[in-house]
Amino acid sequence: MNRVTKRTWLMGLFLGILLGGLGLFFFEYLTQGPTWVTSPGSPHVFNNGNLGCGTVVDRRGNVLLDLTNGRQYSSDVNTRKSTLHWVGDRSGFISAGAVAKYAGAMVGYDLVNGVYNADGTGGVEHLTISARVQNAALTGLYGRKGTVAVYNYKTGEILCAVTSPTYDPDNVPDIQGDTTGAYTGVYLNRFLQSSYTPGSIYKIVTCAAALEAVPGIESKTFHCSGEYAYGKEKITCETAHGDCDLKRALAVSCNCAFAQVAELVGRKNMQKYVSQFGITEKLSFDGVTTSAGKYDISDTGAASFAWSCIGQHSDLINPCRFMTFMGQIAGGGTAALPYLVERVESGGEVTYQAQTKYTDRIMSQQLASKMVNYLRNNVEVTYGSWKFPGLTVCGKSGTAELGEGQISNAMFAGFCTDEKYPLAFICVVENGGYGAATCVPILSTVLSECKAVLDGQ
């Protein structure tokens, strides 16, 4: 009798464990099912780490990637190249994290049917980018490494974010065997994953800090004889600018004047405003996160601190984050956060719809308005407003010195203040030389294309 009792207890124990396990499984299935089927390892949804089903289109409905029968890219070679870093390659070397973020919305999933659109016939992902603008930006880069990006700082829509170098996924070059360096960093999305020495576009940060922190700064004059000495070290300009107030110093990009401005701002204030403006922080949207920037003036001498306020020393900025900073100035101290995916449709229904989200306020409306005025002055007196027909462009160029005999990186960042065209932008051309000479022609074309797209042309 005792043996029967023990066996009954054992069977009861095993049955309890079994029922408990089944209960746990069903609980996990109910709560974690959507996460399981859309995890990166799911064969229903992904292929080589990238989205494996559905169709991806640009803001006009142009097909960028069709996964209903294999992996088919756009029929246009330039579009295939210009959008590759957003839709991913066949081998998974280029990750399309922002597109894959909404895989669950693409495939369609419920507890009864499971994945019901994995063949790709029902899922369409609409991106905010324009293939037309992407192609114009890639053409402007002319094979040079870098990135060109434009976004709507009122809505957050990214109209353009091109990375170069790139390649045609339907005609993949011998990247591993290349000895020319043409494909160095080709798998990198430079808009998201790169950090660059900013050069003189960083003077925007220093100028804003000075306007806020230094009483009477606009009435002060700074003399430039071509160099400004700190003992044996010195800050140099390519030409002697003479006497400059702050506005003219920004317009002519006078290093010597900004070294003197940096002294008035001081180290603590520079650290304070870099933190307040958030320009070194990572930015996340659509499941992707940008690289961080850098501003480190610990254990620096007077000359190194001055260079840090000019955008040299060890300063680093991420293109996406700095573009958003431009939007925040244009937006009066705050701006929409950028995003790439506008909506997802599956089974005839909208399964995801983007919502505009805004950054924290980084500066007062008064300071932002003054910076708009200064940056508009730059374009009017230095770069030429006529180069941006039909647009009220504000901006600043940068020529970021790299040392060791390298050609400088060309930089330009800014925004448009037109009600119909609330666009913030950044252009980076690696080893491109002078910022204005290299970037302005690219941006002139790209912004004109953005204007046409927003006009419905």
Side-chain angles (χ1 to χ4, degrees), residues 328-347:
Q328 289 170 298
I329 294 175
T334 184
L337 288 164
Y339 66 86
L340 178 75
V341 180
E342 194 272 329
R343 72 182 186 279
V344 178
E345 298 170 348
S346 182

Side-chain angles (χ1 to χ4, degrees), residues 168-191:
D168 180 359
D170 284 349
N171 186 21
V172 181
D174 181 11
I175 295 172
Q176 298 302 319
D178 175 64
T179 58
T180 66
Y183 295 103
T184 301
V186 72
Y187 301 133
L188 191 71
N189 185 327
R190 282 166 158 77
F191 174 66

Side-chain angles (χ1 to χ4, degrees), residues 251-457:
V252 300
S253 202
C254 179
N255 292 341
C256 295
F258 266 85
Q260 297 167 68
V261 171
E263 292 176 355
L264 295 175
V265 173
R267 295 171 184 254
K268 287 185 177 180
N269 274 328
M270 275 304 296
Q271 289 175 317
K272 170 188 171 182
Y273 286 106
V274 167
S275 176
Q276 179 177 310
F277 298 157
I279 55 175
T280 61
E281 295 176 4
K282 296 180 180 180
L283 194 65
S284 297
F285 62 92
D286 291 333
V288 296
T289 300
T290 69
S291 294
K294 178 183 177 183
Y295 185 73
D296 184 2
I297 55 173
S298 58
D299 300 321
T300 56
S304 293
F305 170 63
W307 280 121
S308 79
C309 298
I310 295 168
Q312 294 291 158
H313 183 48
S314 62
D315 299 358
L316 293 173
I317 59 103
N318 168 259
C320 179
R321 186 64 192 84
F322 206 83
M323 177 192 73
T324 307
F325 174 55
M326 292 295 95
Q328 289 170 298
I329 294 175
T334 184
L337 288 164
Y339 66 86
L340 178 75
V341 180
E342 194 272 329
R343 72 182 186 279
V344 178
E345 298 170 348
S346 182
E349 297 181 356
V350 175
T351 52
Y352 169 78
Q353 178 67 57
Q355 306 247 332
T356 298
K357 299 177 182 178
Y358 293 90
T359 69
D360 294 333
R361 174 169 292 280
I362 60 165
M363 63 179 66
S364 67
Q365 177 74 56
Q366 182 181 11
L367 176 57
S369 296
K370 193 162 287 187
M371 287 304 303
V372 169
N373 178 270
Y374 272 49
L375 294 171
R376 177 59 183 166
N377 179 69
N378 287 355
V379 175
E380 290 178 332
V381 306
T382 302
Y383 311 122
S385 55
W386 58 270
K387 294 178 181 177
F388 304 98
L391 294 168
T392 309
V393 172
C394 311
K396 178 75 184 80
S397 65
T399 304
E401 298 177 11
L402 305 177
E404 299 179 2
Q406 297 182 70
I407 299 173
S408 300
N409 285 346
M411 319 282 285
F412 202 103
F415 49 84
C416 305
T417 58
D418 309 271
E419 187 67 26
K420 286 181 64 178
Y421 317 111
L423 304 171
F425 56 82
I426 190 165
C427 179
V428 179
V429 182
E430 297 177 22
N431 307 122
Y434 290 103
T438 301
C439 297
V440 168
I442 298 172
L443 288 168
S444 177
T445 300
V446 169
L447 292 174
S448 291
E449 291 295 319
C450 287
K451 179 177 180 293
V453 167
L454 293 179
D455 284 338
Q457 297 178 21

Side-chain angles (χ1 to χ4, degrees), residues 174-254:
D174 181 11
I175 295 172
Q176 298 302 319
D178 175 64
T179 58
T180 66
Y183 295 103
T184 301
V186 72
Y187 301 133
L188 191 71
N189 185 327
R190 282 166 158 77
F191 174 66
L192 296 176
Q193 298 168 305
S194 289
S195 295
Y196 290 100
T197 300
S200 289
I201 64 172
Y202 209 82
K203 288 172 183 168
I204 299 171
V205 180
T206 305
C207 182
L211 287 168
E212 184 78 358
V214 184
I217 186 69
E218 292 183 278
S219 63
K220 297 183 183 298
T221 300
F222 308 95
H223 184 72
C224 171
S225 61
E227 63 178 53
Y228 187 75
Y230 293 91
K232 294 182 179 180
E233 297 182 90
K234 57 188 177 182
I235 307 300
T236 58
C237 288
E238 288 191 347
T239 185
H241 295 109
D243 291 332
C244 300
D245 62 9
L246 183 62
K247 194 172 190 178
R248 181 172 183 269
L250 186 67
V252 300
S253 202
C254 179

